[in-house]
Amino acid sequence: MMMPTSRFDASKADLLLRSMAAYEPQVINPLKNVLSAIGLSLPSVFEDISVKYNRAVLQLGERFRNTNTNVMQCKVDDDLQPFLKRCLLYFRRKHVADIQKILENTTDLEIIERFDKSMASVDICNEDTWFIETTPMRMPRLADFCTLRFSEQIIKETHRKGSLVPLELPQRQYDDKFGVLQPASALAPSMAYWRQQCEFRDVGLALAYFDIDNFKRDFNSHTETVVDRNCLPVILRSIEAHCFLHAEAFHIGGDEVIVLIPNMDKEGAIEFMDRLRLKLPTLTYISVPSKAKISTGLVHVTPDCPLTDKEIEQKANDAKHYAKSEGGKDCIVTYKGERFTKDQLMIVRPRPVHEAT
């Protein structure tokens, strides 16, 4: 019986080969080395991975010219798609993260343009039916074979590159101006830590980005001095109390705040932020009658999400802007899928009228 196959053009085949070449040495091999070092025999799942890897390399490398399109193509067995998607998800996040680090240190427009094209090149499979419909193959984790305590101990001791880089939760800081929420500079290390911890346990994480609606009109009209003294400390303390023990809140600047919510599903994160949305307008301030209503953009990511930490923040910011421009403000906007495109933005709180019943 013939096995069903998928066709890939040469550029996509090359991308998949690059993804596999990065995944095996940076993820699979370090894990196998750790298991061997602590005396555990390698389970059969690694044999299955090796077989899929070798089959995929051979099939992606065998090119032929499609007579209908005159384009070089290859055929790949469909049962390899979950493995290929797993490799591509890892490669995409790591490749873009590496580029983003470089772009942080350059202002050269040619370099920026070149790297922008390089980032776009790793997304050429995103719109393909096979990529959208395929569930990525679950790969083994160290915690599958050892206790969490022992697994974390091993990770801290090995200091290996790739997904096994040990991360520590940063010591809590407070922003200089108000001393209530954490500063913007603390977001990146906290995000990296919690994302690794959630992936380690195969659970999700949410990032919410919000600001106060009509802040300049309703609050700063009373002068920034009065707002900084009488209003913002009250608002920030209320946010911190709401997040305490459940999330981390970061004061990005002015009236902008980011809330990082680890180990929570999408609906739980929406409800968590909706309680804050309903709570803030009840606050009162000395000599200022304004009410703090917020517009929130929320992104929920699973361990399979290919977005970098910076991209997650940007997607949350995009959702927040949609809440203000299209949602009428005082609402929560998120994405209805995991492609995080503009056409997937949707208002979830308050519930749309047709859903309220």
Side-chain angles (χ1 to χ4, degrees):
M1 180 177 179
M2 293 291 292
M3 184 172 290
T5 59
S6 296
R7 290 174 180 252
F8 296 99
D9 63 32
S11 60
K12 291 177 181 177
D14 288 338
L15 173 62
L16 292 170
L17 283 170
R18 290 169 61 201
S19 302
M20 292 164 53
Y23 194 84
E24 186 175 47
Q26 295 174 2
V27 179
I28 296 300
N29 289 347
L31 179 57
K32 291 166 67 175
N33 292 339
V34 170
L35 293 175
S36 297
I38 61 178
L40 289 178
S41 60
L42 298 182
S44 58
V45 65
F46 287 107
E47 296 179 8
D48 183 44
I49 293 171
S50 295
V51 170
K52 283 183 167 59
Y53 180 90
N54 292 329
R55 281 175 55 208
V57 168
L58 287 174
Q59 293 179 23
L60 289 169
E62 293 180 355
R63 311 292 171 85
F64 63 91
R65 188 173 297 279
N66 187 316
T67 55
N68 295 326
T69 61
N70 200 33
V71 173
M72 294 299 294
Q73 291 184 325
C74 64
K75 294 180 180 179
V76 178
D77 294 339
D78 284 357
D79 72 315
L80 295 175
Q81 291 180 359
F83 172 69
L84 293 176
K85 183 169 182 178
R86 166 62 60 206
C87 295
L88 190 57
L89 290 174
Y90 170 80
F91 177 74
R92 195 263 176 209
R93 191 201 301 183
K94 186 178 187 306
H95 180 72
V96 173
D98 290 343
I99 290 176
Q100 288 174 335
K101 289 179 181 178
I102 297 173
L103 293 180
E104 287 177 357
N105 300 309
T106 183
T107 57
D108 186 281
L109 295 181
E110 285 190 24
I111 294 177
I112 293 173
E113 183 178 10
R114 186 172 77 246
F115 279 114
D116 282 345
K117 290 180 179 179
S118 181
M119 285 194 291
S121 69
V122 300
D123 290 328
I124 58 176
C125 290
N126 283 8
E127 301 301 321
D128 289 358
T129 301
W130 80 269
F131 184 86
I132 295 172
E133 296 181 352
T134 298
T135 300
M137 177 180 175
R138 187 188 186 280
M139 290 297 182
R141 295 178 171 88
L142 190 57
D144 294 342
F145 313 104
C146 313
T147 65
L148 281 174
R149 180 179 64 182
F150 190 61
S151 299
E152 289 190 344
Q153 177 184 337
I154 291 295
I155 289 177
K156 290 179 180 179
E157 290 175 353
T158 55
H159 292 274
R160 296 183 182 275
K161 294 182 179 180
S163 63
L164 296 184
V165 171
L167 296 174
E168 299 288 346
L169 180 63
Q171 184 176 357
R172 180 174 290 274
Q173 308 173 50
Y174 295 96
D175 72 288
D176 293 333
K177 187 170 184 178
F178 296 99
V180 178
L181 302 186
Q182 298 192 68
S185 60
L187 173 62
S190 290
M191 178 74 168
Y193 172 82
W194 284 117
R195 197 170 183 192
Q196 185 196 59
Q197 291 295 314
C198 287
E199 289 176 0
F200 197 57
R201 293 163 173 81
D202 206 15
V203 295
L205 167 149
L207 187 91
Y209 199 136
F210 68 86
D211 64 18
I212 300 173
D213 296 332
N214 306 313
F215 183 71
K216 291 184 178 179
R217 185 194 72 188
D218 296 344
F219 283 88
N220 279 352
S221 59
H222 300 280
T223 75
E224 292 183 10
T225 301
V226 171
V227 172
D228 287 351
R229 183 190 64 203
N230 296 353
C231 303
L232 279 177
V234 176
I235 295 171
L236 297 178
R237 284 198 298 269
S238 183
I239 294 170
E240 196 280 335
H242 181 77
C243 294
F244 182 64
L245 290 183
H246 301 287
E248 292 193 64
F250 304 85
H251 190 195
I252 303 305
D255 63 319
E256 291 187 312
V257 174
I258 285 179
V259 175
L260 179 60
I261 316 169
N263 192 19
M264 192 173 290
D265 62 22
K266 186 174 184 178
E267 190 60 31
I270 291 170
E271 292 296 339
F272 182 80
M273 292 307 301
D274 197 43
R275 291 196 299 272
L276 180 62
R277 181 184 71 86
L278 297 173
K279 175 183 179 181
L280 293 183
T282 66
L283 303 177
T284 58
Y285 323 98
I286 298 174
S287 73
V288 177
S290 302
K291 299 297 181 183
K293 296 183 179 181
I294 60 174
S295 293
T296 304
L298 185 144
V299 173
H300 183 267
V301 297
T302 66
D304 292 332
C305 179
L307 298 181
T308 67
D309 296 353
K310 288 182 178 293
E311 288 178 310
I312 292 171
E313 180 182 344
Q314 182 58 57
K315 294 295 183 181
N317 200 359
D318 292 343
K320 181 198 72 172
H321 281 290
Y322 185 91
K324 287 183 171 295
S325 62
E326 305 295 332
K329 303 178 180 180
D330 187 25
C331 65
I332 299 174
V333 168
T334 189
Y335 295 83
K336 59 185 175 183
E338 294 190 355
R339 292 163 59 208
F340 305 103
T341 53
K342 290 184 178 180
D343 62 304
Q344 290 190 320
L345 288 167
M346 64 176 182
I347 301 168
V348 289
R349 296 292 186 279
R351 291 185 183 276
V353 175
H354 67 278
E355 293 183 5
T357 58

